[in-house]
C-alpha cells in the first residue's frame, strides 16, 4: 500500500530518523512509540503527505485513500454535529440525488421506449453502487459513531462551533472513522476521550476493515488495538511484532543482546591491538601483525546501545500522618438549578486509600471532587475532614493558579528549598521540560505545559490527602510512570479521576462509581471493579477451593473409556484475585517479620530494668505482637493452601 525506502527526516540540525525502510500493508495495526521529540508526529505527517522526507522515497499505491487526525487544532463550524458528520458522505448523497432524478425521468417515460431502458439501466447501476456502499444506512452509521464517542442525542443538532476544543476533536475523529480510508493515521486519538469512548474506539478499531497507524501514550489502548510497535530510537526506526507489553520485553532483550555483542567485540579488539602492539617491531611476526591489522580494518563495528532515558525516581515528601478517617460524607447533594447532579451520597475515605472515581462523561466525577476540595458548595448534606488532614487539590485547569511571571526552576526552588537544583531539573525533565525550558516564564507556556508543570509542582508539597482531577492528561508514558510510582509509594490518601486504565488499575485500592446521582463503592482496583460490574463476583478463598476441587467423573465398568465424558470446565478463577492473594501472602510475611523484630527489641530491652511502668508497657506490646502474629499465621496458612490448591503458588 505504501513503500518507504531509505527514508530520513531532520528537524533543523537534528536528525529525527534515517534509513527507514517500511512496507505498509493493507492490514497494518501499528502503534508508534518513542521519547518526546524523537519524531513520532513528524513520521505520521510524512505518511499523511503533509511533510516530505529529506531523503529517501515514499511511494503510495495508486488510489490509496489516507485519513489523518492531528493531536489538536481542528475546528468545525457552520453545520450541526450530525450534518458535519454526514458531509463525509456528500459524494454518496449526490449519487442518491441522481438516483431520484432518474426515477422522476422514468416516471415520465413510456416503459416501452428505448430512452426508458437507458435511464433504467443507468438507475440500476447507480443503485447497485449505492447499496454496495451502504447508502441506505448513512443515518444509522453516523448515529452509531456519535453515540460511541459519547455525544448525547440532544447534541447532534447543536452547531459545531458551540463545542470546546476536545469535543471538536471528537467530531473530527467521528468524520475520519465514517470516511473509513484505506490507511487511518491518528495522533493521540484518545487524548480527549473518556473511558466509555475509549472502550468503544478499541472495539471499532479491532473490527476496522483497513489499516491504521496511531500514536498513543495509553499503554492499555496500545495493548488491545495494535499488532506491531514501531519505535523511533537513537535516530533509527525499529519494528517489534506484537502489542506494547510484548514490545517492552523484546526491546529489553534486544538491548541486552547488543550490549553483549559490543562487549565481546571490544574484548576481541583489545586482544588484536595487544598482539599488534606487542609484536609490531618483530620481523618474524610481521605477517601475523599485518593479518590482524587487516582483520581490525575489515571488522564491522558494533555500536554500543545508547543510554536510554535516565530512569527518574521521585517521591513525595513524607506528610504528617492524618487520623484513620480522612473524609466523611453524609447525605451529600448537589444541584445546579433544577438539575440534580448528586443526591443523598454517603461515603467514608480512610487513611491510605487510593480511590479512583469512575463514571461516564457528565456523571458528576469532577463535581464530586470539587465538593470534596471545597471549591464548590454543597446543596445538601454534611462533609467533614478528619483529624490532622492537610488537603491538596489538583484541578484540570490547575495552571490558572500559577504565577505567570515566575520561571519554572525559580518557582520550584522557592517551593522546595531542601531539594538540589539537579533534583529539581530531573523532576522537570520527567514532565518534558529540559534544557533552557526550565528557565521559561510560566506565562508563555501553553495550557497543557502549565498543567504538566503544576503536576510536577504537586510532587513537592507535603500534604496527606490528594485530590487529583485528570492528572495524567498531557503526560507521556515516562511522565505517567514517574507519577504512578510516586503515588504508589505515597503514604497519604489519594482520590483521583483518570481516563488512563493502566494508571487506574495500578494505583486504585477502591473504586467509587458515580452515576445517576449516586456513588457506588467497590473494593479493589479497576480490573476488580470491571469484574464485579460484569455480573460476576470475585471468588472467595472457599470458592476457589471448591472450584479447584471439581474433578472429572469416574467412569464405570459399563462405560467404555473412549465414551467417558470430558472433564467439565472448572469455574473461572479471576487471575487478578490470584495475584492479590500472592501479594497479600508477601505482605503477611513482611508483617510477621516486622512484628518478630518488635518482639525481639522489647525482649532485649526488658533485660535492663528501667521502671515498673516500662516493663509493663513492653510486656503488653510483646503480648499484642504475638497475638497479631497468631492471626497473621492463620491467614498465611489459609492463603498458602488456597494458592497451592489453585496451582498458582508463587
Amino acid at each position: 500500500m505504501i513503500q518507504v525506502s531509505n527514508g530520513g527526516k531532520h528537524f533543523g540540525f537534528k536528525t529525527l530518523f534515517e534509513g527507514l525502510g517500511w512496507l505498509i500493508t493493507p492490514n497494518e495495526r501499528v502503534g508508534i512509540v518513542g521519547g518526546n521529540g524523537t519524531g513520532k508526529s513528524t513520521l505520521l505527517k510524512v505518511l499523511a503527505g503533509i511533510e516530505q522526507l529529506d531523503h529517501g522515497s515514499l511511494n503510495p499505491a495508486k488510489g490509496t485513500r489516507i485519513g489523518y487526525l492531528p493531536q489538536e487544532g481542528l475546528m468545525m463550524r457552520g453545520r450541526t454535529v450530525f450534518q458535519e458528520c454526514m458531509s463525509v458522505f456528500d459524494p454518496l448523497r449526490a449519487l442518491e440525488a441522481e438516483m431520484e432524478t432518474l426515477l422522476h425521468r422514468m416516471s415520465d417515460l413510456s416503459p416501452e421506449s428505448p430512452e426508458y431502458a437507458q435511464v433504467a439501466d443507468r438507475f440500476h447501476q447507480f443503485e447497485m453502487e449505492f447499496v454496495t456502499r451502504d447508502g441506505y444506512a448513512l443515518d444509522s452509521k453516523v448515529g452509531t459513531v456519535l453515540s460511541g464517542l459519547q455525544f448525547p442525542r440532544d447534541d447532534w443538532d447543536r452547531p459545531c462551533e458551540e463545542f470546546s476544543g476536545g469535543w471538536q476533536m471528537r467530531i473530527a475523529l467521528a468524520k475520519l472513522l465514517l470516511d473509513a480510508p484505506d490507511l487511518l493515521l491518528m495522533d493521540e486519538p484518545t487524548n480527549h476521550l473518556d473511558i466509555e469512548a475509549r472502550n468503544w474506539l478499541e472495539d471499532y478499531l479491532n473490527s476496522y476493515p483497513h489499516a491504521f497507524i496511531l500514536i498513543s501514550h495509553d499503554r492499555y489502548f496500545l495493548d488491545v488495538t495494535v499488532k506491531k510497535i514501531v519505535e523511533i530510537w537513537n535516530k533509527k526506526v525499529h519494528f517489534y511484532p506484537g502489542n506494547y507489553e510484548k514490545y517492552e520485553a523484546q526491546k529489553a532483550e534486544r538491548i541486552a543482546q547488543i550490549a553483549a555483542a559490543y562487549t565481546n567485540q571490544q574484548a576481541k579488539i583489545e586482544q588484536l591491538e595487544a598482539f599488534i602492539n606487542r609484536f609490531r617491531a618483530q620481523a618474524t611476526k610481521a605477517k601475523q601483525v599485518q593479518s590482524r591489522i587487516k582483520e581490525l580494518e575489515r571488522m564491522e563495528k558494533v555500536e554500543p546501545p545508547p543510554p536510554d532515558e535516565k530512569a527518574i525516581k521521585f517521591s513525595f515528601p513524607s506528610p504528617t500522618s492524618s487520623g484513620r478517617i480522612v473524609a466523611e460524607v453524609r447525605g451529600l447533594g448537589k444541584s445546579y438549578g433544577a438539575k440534580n447532579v448528586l443526591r443523598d451520597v454517603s461515603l467514608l475515605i480512610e487513611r491510605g486509600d487510593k480511590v479512583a472515581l469512575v463514571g461516564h462523561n457528565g456523571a458528576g466525577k469532577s463535581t464530586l471532587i470539587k465538593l470534596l476540595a471545597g471549591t464548590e458548595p454543597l446543596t445538601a448534606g454534611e462533609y467533614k475532614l478528619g483529624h490532622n488532614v492537610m488537603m491538596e487539590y489538583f484541578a484540570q485547569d490547575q495552571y490558572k493558579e500559577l504565577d505567570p511571571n515566575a520561571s519554572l526552576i525559580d518557582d520550584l526552588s522557592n517551593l522546595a528549598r531542601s531539594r538540589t537544583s539537579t533534583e529539581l531539573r530531573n523532576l522537570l525533565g520527567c514532565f518534558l521540560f529540559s534544557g533552557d525550558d526550565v528557565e521559561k516564564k510560566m506565562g508563555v507556556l501553553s495550557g497543557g505545559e502549565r498543567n504538566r508543570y503544576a503536576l510536577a509542582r504537586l510532587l513537592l508539597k507535603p500534604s496527606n490527602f490528594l485530590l487529583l482531577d485528570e492528572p495524567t492528561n498531557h503526560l507521556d508514558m515516562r511522565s505517567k510512570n514517574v507519577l504512578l510510582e510516586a503515588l504508589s509509594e505515597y503514604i497519604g490518601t489519594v482520590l483521583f479521576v483518570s481516563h488512563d486504565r493502566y494508571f487506574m488499575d495500578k494505583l486504585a485500592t477502591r473504586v467509587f462509581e458515580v452515576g445517576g446521582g449516586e456513588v457506588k463503592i467497590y473494593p479493589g482496583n479497576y480490573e476488580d471493579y470491571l469484574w464485579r460490574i460484569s455480573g460476576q463476583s470475585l471468588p472467595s478463598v472457599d470458592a476457589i477451593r471448591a472450584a479447584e476441587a471439581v474433578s472429572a467423573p469416574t467412569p464405570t465398568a459399563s462405560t467404555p473409556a473412549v465414551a467417558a465424558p470430558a472433564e467439565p470446565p472448572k469455574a473461572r478463577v479471576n487471575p487478578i484475585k490470584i495475584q492479590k492473594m500472592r501479594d497479600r501472602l508477601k505482605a503477611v510475611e513482611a508483617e510477621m517479620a516486622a512484628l518478630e523484630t518488635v518482639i525481639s527489641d522489647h525482649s532485649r530491652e526488658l533485660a535492663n530494668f528501667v521502671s515498673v511502668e516500662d516493663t509493663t508497657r513492653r510486656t503488653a506490646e510483646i503480648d499484642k505482637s504475638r497475638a497479631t502474629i497468631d492471626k497473621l499465621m492463620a491467614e498465611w496458612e489459609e492463603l498458602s493452601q488456597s494458592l497451592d490448591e489453585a496451582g498458582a503458588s508463587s
Side-chain angles (χ1 to χ4, degrees):
M1 193 161 60
I2 294 181
Q3 175 74 56
V4 183
S5 302
N6 196 32
K9 185 68 179 175
H10 306 283
F11 185 77
F13 294 104
K14 179 182 178 182
T15 299
L16 296 178
F17 56 84
E18 56 189 2
L20 170 60
W22 187 4
L23 176 62
I24 300 174
T25 61
N27 58 351
E28 290 278 29
R29 299 282 193 272
V30 178
I32 301 179
V33 302
N36 186 54
T38 54
K40 301 186 297 295
S41 294
T42 300
L43 175 56
L44 213 60
K45 290 176 182 177
V46 167
L47 297 176
I50 297 171
E51 294 195 18
Q52 303 300 313
L53 291 169
D54 291 322
H55 52 81
S57 63
L58 183 147
N59 300 301
K62 186 177 180 180
T64 300
R65 296 174 58 247
I66 299 174
Y68 170 66
L69 180 77
Q71 284 191 40
E72 54 190 1
L74 297 181
M75 184 74 180
M76 271 69 70
R77 58 179 67 251
R79 289 185 281 213
T80 67
V81 172
F82 195 85
Q83 290 170 343
E84 186 68 38
C85 290
M86 283 293 289
S87 69
V88 169
F89 303 113
D90 280 351
L92 202 53
R93 295 172 74 189
L95 185 64
E96 184 179 25
E98 182 67 19
M99 289 167 56
E100 291 180 2
T101 301
L102 292 173
L103 276 175
H104 286 303
R105 288 187 61 191
M106 289 166 62
S107 66
D108 295 334
L109 295 171
S110 170
E112 288 79 20
S113 67
E115 187 179 359
Y116 181 92
Q118 293 175 354
V119 172
D121 183 60
R122 185 174 177 83
F123 172 82
H124 289 307
Q125 289 178 10
F126 284 0
E127 185 181 38
M128 184 176 297
E129 181 181 354
F130 191 75
V131 171
T132 301
R133 294 166 62 182
D134 281 343
Y136 291 112
L138 298 187
D139 287 7
S140 174
K141 281 185 176 182
V142 172
T144 298
V145 171
L146 288 178
S147 297
L149 293 176
Q150 303 301 298
F151 280 91
R153 182 63 184 83
D154 293 343
D155 285 350
W156 295 6
D157 296 322
R158 286 176 55 193
C160 290
E161 54 266 30
E162 293 183 4
F163 290 86
S164 64
W167 285 96
Q168 287 280 345
M169 295 308 297
R170 288 201 196 198
I171 298 173
L173 176 59
K175 291 179 63 178
L176 192 61
L177 297 176
L178 289 166
D179 191 35
D182 301 314
L183 177 59
L184 191 59
L185 304 173
M186 298 177 287
D187 196 347
E188 292 287 354
T190 60
N191 263 1
H192 306 286
L193 303 183
D194 55 20
I195 290 178
E196 288 76 12
R198 291 186 190 203
N199 291 340
W200 177 86
L201 180 60
E202 288 163 9
D203 292 338
Y204 193 94
L205 290 178
N206 284 328
S207 60
Y208 189 69
H210 309 302
F212 64 80
I213 301 173
L214 57 88
I215 298 170
S216 179
H217 292 143
D218 185 334
R219 60 184 295 161
Y220 182 92
F221 184 77
L222 289 173
D223 272 340
V224 300
T225 56
V226 306
K227 297 180 180 178
K228 180 190 293 183
I229 293 292
V230 172
E231 181 194 38
I232 305 178
W233 181 61
N234 192 30
K235 304 175 186 177
K236 298 288 185 182
V237 180
H238 305 277
F239 298 84
Y240 297 87
N243 60 13
Y244 189 83
E245 183 180 10
K246 292 179 180 177
Y247 145 76
E248 285 191 310
Q250 292 176 69
K251 181 181 178 181
E253 182 179 346
R254 177 174 171 272
I255 291 175
Q257 290 173 347
I258 294 174
Y262 175 76
T263 300
N264 292 337
Q265 188 179 72
Q266 290 301 303
K268 178 67 173 177
I269 290 172
E270 289 179 10
Q271 182 184 9
L272 293 173
E273 289 177 341
F275 184 92
I276 293 168
N277 293 332
R278 181 177 179 184
F279 298 109
R280 187 185 296 273
Q282 296 185 23
T284 58
K285 297 286 187 180
K287 185 176 290 187
Q288 293 94 321
V289 169
Q290 286 301 315
S291 174
R292 283 161 174 77
I293 290 174
K294 289 180 180 179
E295 185 178 351
L296 274 177
E297 291 173 348
R298 291 194 304 267
M299 187 179 292
E300 185 176 345
K301 299 295 189 296
V302 176
E303 292 293 328
D308 209 347
E309 291 182 302
K310 184 179 178 182
I312 301 296
K313 180 179 174 64
F314 214 91
S315 58
F316 285 91
S318 296
T320 303
S321 181
S322 68
R324 183 180 67 83
I325 295 177
V326 172
E328 186 174 7
V329 171
R330 293 182 180 177
L332 177 147
K334 180 62 181 179
S335 302
Y336 294 97
K339 183 179 181 181
N340 292 320
V341 180
L342 297 168
R343 60 179 180 275
D344 197 24
V345 172
S346 296
L347 52 87
L348 193 68
I349 301 172
E350 298 188 33
R351 183 179 61 239
D353 278 346
K354 305 289 196 299
V355 180
L357 289 184
V358 304
H360 63 79
N361 194 51
K365 302 186 298 293
S366 291
T367 298
L368 177 57
I369 205 169
K370 287 176 183 177
L371 294 172
L372 297 178
T375 61
E376 286 270 359
L378 305 182
T379 303
E382 179 184 4
Y383 166 50
K384 62 181 180 180
L385 294 175
H387 173 69
N388 213 25
V389 172
M390 294 178 290
M391 182 176 60
E392 190 70 39
Y393 172 50
F394 177 86
Q396 291 189 40
D397 56 355
Q398 188 66 30
Y399 62 86
K400 294 179 181 179
E401 305 297 322
L402 302 175
D403 179 2
N405 298 315
S407 71
L408 306 188
I409 192 67
D410 288 343
D411 184 62
L412 277 192
S413 297
N414 291 331
L415 182 66
R417 299 183 184 276
S418 62
R419 302 277 188 169
T420 66
S421 176
T422 300
E423 286 180 305
L424 298 179
R425 285 177 178 271
N426 282 342
L427 176 62
L428 288 170
C430 290
F431 291 89
L432 312 183
F433 299 105
S434 58
D436 294 338
D437 289 345
V438 303
E439 304 292 344
K440 286 183 178 179
K441 303 290 185 184
M442 283 181 273
V444 305
L445 302 179
S446 67
E449 288 174 327
R450 279 182 281 180
N451 249 26
R452 287 207 311 269
Y453 171 72
L455 192 57
R457 198 174 187 269
L458 184 71
L459 293 183
L460 296 170
K461 296 185 178 182
S463 55
N464 54 27
F465 183 29
L466 297 177
L467 300 171
L468 310 176
D469 194 357
E470 292 290 0
T472 54
N473 277 1
H474 311 292
L475 299 185
D476 66 359
M477 288 190 188
R478 184 169 181 245
S479 305
K480 288 179 184 179
N481 287 338
V482 171
L483 179 63
L484 176 59
E485 187 173 354
L487 289 173
S488 297
E489 296 179 0
Y490 173 62
I491 62 174
T493 306
V494 183
L495 184 140
F496 66 98
V497 177
S498 176
H499 292 146
D500 188 303
R501 285 152 300 180
Y502 181 83
F503 184 87
M504 282 196 296
D505 195 51
K506 291 297 182 182
L507 183 59
T509 60
R510 300 172 74 196
V511 173
F512 289 179
E513 181 189 56
V514 185
E518 302 177 341
V519 177
K520 297 179 181 178
I521 299 173
Y522 297 86
N525 62 8
Y526 187 67
E527 284 297 326
D528 292 335
Y529 158 73
L530 292 179
W531 183 274
R532 291 178 187 278
I533 65 173
S534 69
Q536 305 177 64
S537 60
L538 290 172
S540 63
V541 170
D542 290 339
I544 292 174
R545 289 177 179 172
E548 296 302 323
V550 175
S551 59
T554 303
T556 63
S558 61
T559 306
V562 293
E567 179 177 340
K570 297 177 181 178
R572 182 181 176 187
V573 179
N574 183 10
I576 301 298
K577 185 67 174 179
I578 294 292
Q579 185 58 50
K580 281 186 169 294
M581 291 169 66
R582 290 188 184 128
D583 293 342
R584 179 56 187 161
L585 191 70
K586 293 177 182 177
V588 168
E589 290 170 348
E591 288 179 49
M592 288 193 295
L595 288 170
E596 292 286 1
T597 301
V598 170
I599 292 172
S600 177
D601 291 343
H602 282 309
S603 298
R604 186 174 59 254
E605 292 298 327
L606 283 174
N608 301 311
F609 180 80
V610 176
S611 66
V612 174
E613 292 79 5
D614 181 74
T615 300
T616 302
R617 179 180 63 81
R618 291 187 183 278
T619 301
E621 286 292 333
I622 290 173
D623 292 340
K624 181 180 177 182
S625 297
R626 284 175 175 160
T628 304
I629 286 176
D630 290 341
K631 292 179 181 178
L632 290 171
M633 180 58 72
E635 183 181 0
W636 184 90
E637 291 173 351
E638 183 180 13
L639 288 167
S640 297
Q641 183 178 355
S642 299
L643 286 170
D644 287 340
E645 292 175 356
S649 58
S650 56

